[in-house]
Amino acid sequence: MTTQEKLNASVMGTYERFPVVIDHGAGEFCTDETGKSYIDFGSGIGTSSLGYCNAAWADAVCKQVHTLQHTSNLYYTKVQADFAARLCAVTGYQNVFFCNSGAEANECAIKLARKYSFDKYGKGRHKILTLENSFHGRTLCTLSATGQDVFHNYFFPFVKGFDFVKANDIADLNAKLDDTVCAVMLEYIQGEGGVNALEQDFVDAIYAVCAEKDILVIADEVQTGVGRTGTFLAGQQFYHHADVTTLAKGIAGGLPMGACLANEKCAGVLDKGSHGSTFGGNPVCCVGGLAVLETVTADGFLDAVREKVVYLREKLKRLSGVASVSGLGLMIGIGLTDKTAGDVANAALEEGLLVLTAKEKVRLLPPLTITEAEIDRGVEILEKVLSRK
Ligand SMILES: *Cc1c(COP(=O)(O)O)cnc(C)c1O
């Protein structure tokens, strides 16, 4: 039995997988079971932010595995303290709750927002506004928060208390923002929804009306955070600092870790017994996260990322077959003139390049450590695939 047959026989069929078995990786390249190598423009799904098996990251993780792989949150660990303090300092938040995924980080943010409002105003102010075309996760609550009808099937009943605002429509925002709303949740760049950045005016309007009405702003930076867009948080490029920010994907270099960060206003809302996670803040994930933080915040690292952004985006815009290049930083959507994103992804795979898709676009989330030479090599393959008749 091949690996693919074996896996398909025993793992639930929830994923549409590419027909390739990844065996090992180093830097920006990975190798399949047959020895064929691929340049990875997807980093998992933006998770392996320092590429495959980055040396400093791998050393820190291995050392921690041999020292203390886990203890419960009934006790303290130095690595959790170090990571939390550093993450809060870098992001400008007061404190953090650690969990294991993006959906869990958003669940935490939703619970926090509802309790913030309950503590201050009592019952009835529990609604969370999210945006149409958003994506916030796969748990029942975060599916309910996700503003796409395709996700609102089969699993009834969904969680109540969500409503959806048309992205970039300030009138719709104002119409839906009644006195039952406790938070507005947004992705600065909608990732799964098609790699579309929100308009500055719309983001400004959200922050203004939320400040006026003591409604929390939750920024879902699960995909945009930790340097992905060229600044540590994408919010910096919109000149806003949300009350609550969630992180996951790239935060620990490929280990499962999610974080929900809170500012002074709401740092005390989730108190003893109100939330928890068995694995959250696991020591191995925390040192992985620390290694990523140290790399991404090192002098000049994000400057270098921003230079690569210009380099890569300029190259992409010049390719024939490319109708548009969207997103921000190294979170890139490529609109196509004639081919489908799925066809391009499959053809690129054949040629030794891994790319992702988002709706009708090809999506790139390359490792933040990618070099210009590797960009050249990947774009060459894309060019070849796109120019094929
Ligand atoms: C991927 C993603 C999530 C869900 O994260 P999981 O780790 O899969 O639970 C939530 N929000 C955004 C914006 C994402 O991109």
Side-chain angles (χ1 to χ4, degrees), residues 101-104 106 135-138 187 192 220 222-223 248-249:
S101 67
E104 281 177 77
N106 288 336
F135 181 80
H136 297 298
R138 295 285 197 157
E187 299 157 87
E192 307 302 315
D220 178 348
V222 166
Q223 193 162 155
K249 289 204 166 80

Side-chain angles (χ1 to χ4, degrees), residues 129-131 163-178 181 183-186 201-210 213 215 217:
L129 296 184
T130 69
L131 303 185
D163 200 1
F164 310 105
V165 175
K166 236 175 150 39
N168 302 319
D169 187 333
I170 296 173
D172 196 37
L173 170 73
N174 289 328
K176 287 180 176 148
L177 214 145
D178 59 24
V181 174
V184 175
M185 180 148 117
L186 59 87
D201 285 357
F202 181 65
V203 175
D204 290 345
I206 290 176
Y207 276 88
V209 70
C210 287
K213 301 190 174 193
I215 290 168
V217 178

